[in-house]
Amino acid sequence: MAAVDTQKVHYDAEQIQVLKGLDAVRKRPSMYIGSTGVRGLHHLVYEVVDNSIDEALAGFCDKIDVFIHSDNSISVIDNGRGFPVDIHPEMGIPGVEVAMTVLHAGGKFGSGGYKVSGGLHGVGVSVVNALSEWLQVEVSRNGKLYRQRYERGVTVSKLEEIGKSAHTGTKVSFKPDAEIFDKTEYSFDTLSQRLRELAFLNKGVRISLTDEREGGEEVVFEYKGGIASFIEYLNKNKIGLHKVVHFEDNRDNTDVEVGLQYNDSYMENILTFANNINTAEGGTHLSGFKTAMTRVINDYARKNNILKEKDSNLSGDDIREGLTAVISVKLLNPQFEGQTKTKLGNGEISGLVNTIVGEKLSEFLEQQPAVAKRIIEKALTASRARDAARKASELIKRKSVLEHSTLPGKLADCSEKDPTKCELYIVEGDSAGGSAKQGRDRRYQAILPLRGKILNVEKARLDKMLANEEIRSMITALGTGLAMETTSEDEDNDGYNLSKLRYHRIIIMTDADVDGAHIRTLLLTFFYRYMRPLVNNGHIYIAQPPLYQVKSGKEKAYAYDDKELKEVLKNFPRKKYSLQRYKGLGEMNPEQLWETTMDAERRIILQVTLEDAFEADEVFSTLMGDKVEPRRDFITRNARYVRNLDV
Ligand code: 0RA
C-alpha cells in the first residue's frame, strides 16, 4: 500500500509541474508560437499536422485530413499508429496525456524520425492544448477507440475507452482560445497553401482540407512526384527549357532532395526547406547548392570549350537567372538561426549538399548535352546583358554628372531644392502631363510625362529597358542611378546612392483603365527590380484619380469608386445632376486634376509596399511570358490587383 501512496504523491508533484509549464505558455504565448495574431493562430494547426507528418516520415501514415469546422475549431485526422495510450512508467498517466500536457514532451514520445528543434515548429502539441479553449484527442489502437478531453491545457476527463476500432490512427480536435488570440477565424487559403507545400515536400502523403463553414470548399493534395511536382507548380506560367531535374539522396543520416528547372524568365526563384520548415533566410543548404551550381556549370562549359581559355567564369547570378529550384533537407538536430529563425545553421550541411548536387548535376549535364548547352547559352546571355546594363547604367550616371544641368527636356521641375519636400509625378501620356503641369503647385511638384510607348518594352531584359528613352529620362530625373544585381544575398545595395534622390515622393499617376494598370505594373516592376531601395524606404506612391464626377449647378463632388459613388449620390437625389465617368486623366482639366489628385490637402495617395511591388513583378512576368493562357488570365488577375491597391 505504501508503494501506491508514494506513487500518488509523486503523481501530484508531476501534475503541479504540468500546470506550471502550461501556465507559462498561456502567460507568454508568443514565446512558443511567435504571435497571438493570425500567424500564431494558424501555427496551432501546423503544430498538430507536424505530428502526423512525423508519423508519415516514419513510414506509418499516408493520409491526413484537416477540417475547419463551422465554429472555427479544427480537426486533424491521420491513419498512423495512433498515439501510445499505455501508462507512462514515471508519470503514471497515459502516453497521450503526457504528450498533451507536458511541455516539450513531444520529442521523447515522437515516432523517432527527424525532430525539429528551435524555430517555431516542434514546440509540441501541449502548447496547442494550453492555448485552446478545449482540445479532444481520439486514438484508434489495439482494436479500440480511446478519447480524452482537456480545457485550456487542463485534463478534464480520463482517457476513456469509448468503443472498438478496426483501424489505427489519431484525431486531434481543438478550438483556439479567444482569450489568447486576437482573432480566431481561420483562413482557408493560408492553411491550404501550407498543406499543399507539405504534400509536395512529403511525397505520397495525401492531405485534404475541408472547410465546413458557409460557402466552404474542399481540396486534396497528393503529389507522387514530390519536389518535381513542386517545380512544375512553380513554373506553371512559364516555359521550361527542359524536363524537371529531380534527385534525392541520403548520406550521414540526412535526406537531401532537390528539384530544378530553367525557364524562359529572367528571375531566380529558389525555395529552401529544412525538416519541412521554409527557411526563408536560406542557410547552409542554400549556399552548398549555389556553390555546386556555379562550379559544375563552369567546369562543364570549360571542358566542352563553350567557355574559352580567355573567357572569365560565369557568375553565380548569371547562372541562376531563370532558374526555379527547391531544396529540401531532413536532418537530425537542425539549428535555426537568423532574425526570424529561418536560416539553417548546421555547418556540415553545406558540404553535403554541395557534394550531392555536384555529382547529380554533372551526371545530368553529361547525359543531356543539348540541354546543357541551352543552359550555358542562357547564362552567357545573362552575363552579356548584365555587362551591357552595367555600361548603360554607368553612361547614364556619367552623363548626369558631366552635364549636371541636362535634366530631361520633358521634365517640368519644381523650384524647391530640398528633396525631402519635393514630389515627382510620373504621368501617363502627354495630354495628362500637360494638365498636371498647369494644375500643379510648381514650388514643390515636378511633372514627368511618359508616353504609352514604354508599353512596347517586350521583355523584362534590363539592357532593353535601359535603352528606352522614357525609362532613361526617369532615371536621370530621379538622380540615384540603378541598384544593380539585387540578389537575395545582397539586399543592402551599398553602391546605391539614396542621398542623391531628387524627390522623396515619387507618385505614379496613370489612367484607371487596363492600359493605365499595365503601365503602373511596368513601373512598379522596374522599381522593384532596379531601384528597390526606393520601394524599401517608402518613396514610391500611386495617385488615386477619381472615377466619377457628380455635378448639379455649381455644386460638384467626386467619387473614387462605386461604393463611394452610392454615398455621394445620396446628397443629390432630389436635384437634377449630371454624372461623368472619367475614362482617363486627360478628361480632367488642370483645376480638376489639382483638386482631386494632386492637392496634398485633398488627394489620396497610396504608398507602395515591397509586397505590392513584388506582386507587380509577378503580374509582369506572367504578362510578358510566352504562354498564351496566363496572358489571358492577366485581365482578371490584374483587376484584383487594382482593387487590392485601392484598399
Ligand atoms: C509516438 C509513438 C507512436 C506513435 C506516435 C507517437 C504518434 C503520435 C501522433 C500524433 C498525431 N498522430 C500521431 N501518430 C502517432 C507509436 C508507437 C508504437 O506504436 O510503437
Side-chain angles (χ1 to χ4, degrees), residues 29-30 33-44 176-177 180-186:
S30 308
I33 54 159
S35 82
T36 53
V38 220
R39 259 172 178 271
L41 180 74
H42 289 79
H43 195 85
L44 301 183
D177 192 347
I180 302 279
F181 294 95
D182 312 335
K183 230 184 99 188
T184 51
E185 195 184 323
Y186 275 104

Side-chain angles (χ1 to χ4, degrees), residues 189-388:
D189 287 344
T190 303
L191 290 180
S192 100
Q193 259 178 42
R194 173 62 182 158
L195 295 177
R196 177 192 286 118
E197 194 171 271
L198 282 171
F200 282 132
L201 293 168
N202 303 282
K203 69 167 150 266
V205 184
R206 177 192 185 279
I207 306 179
S208 75
L209 174 64
T210 307
D211 190 347
E212 293 178 344
R213 297 169 302 187
E214 199 158 315
E217 28 180 334
E218 184 186 341
V219 282
V220 180
F221 304 117
E222 182 175 12
Y223 302 104
K224 299 248 152 55
I227 280 178
S229 311
F230 203 164
I231 299 285
E232 277 160 17
Y233 174 79
L234 293 170
N235 276 350
K236 65 180 182 299
N237 289 340
K238 307 192 170 110
I239 294 175
L241 298 193
H242 55 87
K243 286 211 188 93
V244 174
V245 185
H246 180 218
F247 49 80
E248 52 196 314
D249 206 340
N250 178 295
R251 289 183 205 178
D252 308 339
N253 273 324
T254 304
D255 278 336
V256 177
E257 188 179 357
V258 175
L260 64 91
Q261 185 184 39
Y262 280 90
N263 59 67
D264 62 331
S265 83
Y266 304 107
M267 296 301 282
E268 165 184 336
N269 186 15
I270 305 180
L271 301 181
T272 62
F273 298 85
N275 291 10
N276 289 329
I277 291 178
N278 185 336
T279 34
E281 295 173 280
T284 48
H285 47 353
L286 178 61
S287 61
F289 173 80
K290 285 184 173 177
T291 309
M293 288 290 297
T294 310
R295 171 172 46 82
V296 168
I297 289 192
N298 273 299
D299 285 356
Y300 183 92
R302 287 216 182 271
K303 211 174 111 197
N304 292 277
N305 220 20
I306 310 177
L307 272 184
K308 307 279 182 316
E309 212 166 308
K310 61 170 176 29
D311 295 332
S312 52
N313 263 4
L314 291 160
S315 78
D317 280 329
D318 293 334
I319 284 171
R320 294 190 301 272
E321 206 177 273
L323 174 69
T324 297
V326 174
I327 302 146
S328 167
V329 296
K330 296 193 179 111
L331 70 162
L332 301 166
N333 304 315
Q335 240 66 71
F336 292 102
E337 303 171 347
Q339 283 197 323
T340 55
K341 292 261 177 277
T342 57
K343 182 173 188 175
L344 185 65
N346 301 60
E348 70 281 6
I349 297 299
S350 117
L352 186 75
V353 174
N354 185 345
T355 307
I356 294 176
V357 173
E359 286 173 17
K360 306 278 178 173
L361 190 65
S362 316
E363 221 172 90
F364 170 76
L365 296 179
E366 296 295 344
Q367 281 167 2
Q368 307 219 29
V371 173
K373 200 162 165 233
R374 225 174 296 157
I375 291 172
I376 292 165
E377 291 293 339
K378 188 172 168 72
L380 280 168
T381 313
S383 158
R384 282 184 215 116
R386 209 178 293 276
D387 277 344

Side-chain angles (χ1 to χ4, degrees), residues 562-591:
D562 292 322
K563 210 171 120 209
E564 203 181 345
L565 179 64
K566 265 193 197 148
E567 288 303 310
V568 167
L569 286 179
K570 282 184 191 159
N571 299 327
F572 288 83
R574 272 181 292 276
K575 299 170 199 154
K576 209 176 137 202
Y577 66 82
S578 66
L579 174 65
Q580 185 187 1
R581 189 184 202 288
Y582 292 121
K583 280 181 226 75
L585 297 165
E587 290 175 25
M588 271 184 265
N589 63 34
E591 189 199 332

Side-chain angles (χ1 to χ4, degrees), residues 48 51-52 55 78 80-84 109-111 141 170 172:
V48 175
N51 282 297
S52 303
E55 187 67 0
D78 70 47
R81 290 167 294 177
F83 251 121
F109 294 86
S111 21
R141 221 180 134 94
T170 306
V172 177

Side-chain angles (χ1 to χ4, degrees), residues 529-569:
R529 289 198 192 169
Y530 305 120
M531 292 190 169
R532 196 171 304 171
L534 295 188
V535 181
N536 284 339
N537 289 285
H539 291 301
I540 310 286
Y541 296 83
I542 291 171
Q544 292 287 282
L547 273 184
Y548 302 100
Q549 187 195 52
V550 189
K551 210 168 157 185
S552 175
K554 283 223 149 111
E555 198 184 346
K556 61 182 177 192
Y558 298 97
Y560 291 81
D561 57 36
D562 292 322
K563 210 171 120 209
E564 203 181 345
L565 179 64
K566 265 193 197 148
E567 288 303 310
V568 167
L569 286 179

